[in-house]
Amino acid sequence: FGHIVRGFTPNLHIEARSQVVKIETFIQERVNSNPNLHFVVLVGYSWGGGDVYEVAKWLTNESGLKIKIAASVYVDAVTLQLGTAENRLPPGSQSMLNIFQSKQLDASWLLGGGPITDSKEIKPVEIDLDKKENTADHGNIDEIAYQKILDFIHQKIIVQQ
């Protein structure tokens, strides 16, 4: 568990836990080399949403880094272990955007996100792209969600020059 292989194309497998370790290493190197870095925004699509949860858990509970999670974003996020909807709030997130599709246009895509079920600390912004009409599937939701993600991030950060 925690080491499932994602992807079904020969020679292009990515081991789920190894990807999270690469993300954690990248963050640690950036924080250590830049003492003015105090916040991070985590964004993940599909299994990348599962990565967001795992990296947030690491940052909050294990990393020892003095960095806060300004925002987390899920786009049709699925868990790393089972491929089911990632519906847990990422630990330590000060704000959350969760974009998902509730209906499937293409029955061959079994993966898909869903609403957050444990949002006691903060109220996430939840966007079901299929609430009014069936406009998204797991294969195109990242392109459809792009501008919504940028708008959310711009609301959460101030770039100092």
Side-chain angles (χ1 to χ4, degrees):
F1 260 169
H3 283 77
I4 64 163
V5 174
R6 335 187 248 205
F8 304 102
T9 306
N11 302 318
L12 291 177
H13 295 305
I14 299 171
E15 204 175 319
R17 184 66 196 147
S18 67
Q19 184 65 26
V20 171
V21 169
K22 287 179 184 182
I23 296 166
E24 292 169 355
T25 301
F26 174 79
I27 292 171
Q28 192 151 27
E29 288 171 355
R30 291 297 299 260
V31 170
N32 290 340
S33 67
N34 186 350
N36 293 321
L37 187 60
H38 301 288
F39 296 93
V40 65
V41 175
L42 303 173
V43 180
Y45 157 66
S46 190
W47 268 308
D51 290 342
V52 165
Y53 181 85
E54 295 298 326
V55 170
K57 186 171 70 172
W58 170 77
L59 278 172
T60 303
N61 301 323
E62 302 163 25
S63 73
L65 298 173
K66 303 289 187 224
I67 192 164
K68 295 179 181 172
I69 304 168
S72 293
V73 179
Y74 286 162
V75 180
D76 226 18
V78 297
T79 62
L80 297 184
Q81 289 81 10
L82 303 174
T84 57
E86 179 57 87
N87 53 18
R88 301 171 292 176
L89 186 69
S93 295
Q94 295 179 353
S95 59
M96 176 75 193
L97 172 62
N98 181 32
I99 301 172
F100 60 96
Q101 43 90 28
S102 57
K103 301 173 187 168
Q104 296 289 333
L105 284 174
D106 179 352
S108 68
W109 286 102
L110 301 177
L111 300 173
I116 302 294
T117 58
D118 69 344
S119 57
K120 295 176 185 89
E121 297 96 34
I122 61 170
K123 180 160 177 43
V125 175
E126 304 251 31
I127 301 174
D128 178 355
L129 291 178
D130 288 337
K131 190 170 187 170
K132 293 184 181 176
E133 59 185 64
N134 198 1
T135 59
D137 63 30
H138 195 70
N140 69 8
I141 194 169
D142 53 336
E143 289 91 4
I144 294 170
Y146 177 76
Q147 191 60 52
K148 294 175 185 341
I149 296 165
L150 285 179
D151 292 346
F152 180 78
I153 292 171
H154 284 142
Q155 292 173 4
K156 302 299 171 190
I157 63 171
I158 298 171
V159 177
Q160 296 179 350
Q161 307 257 348

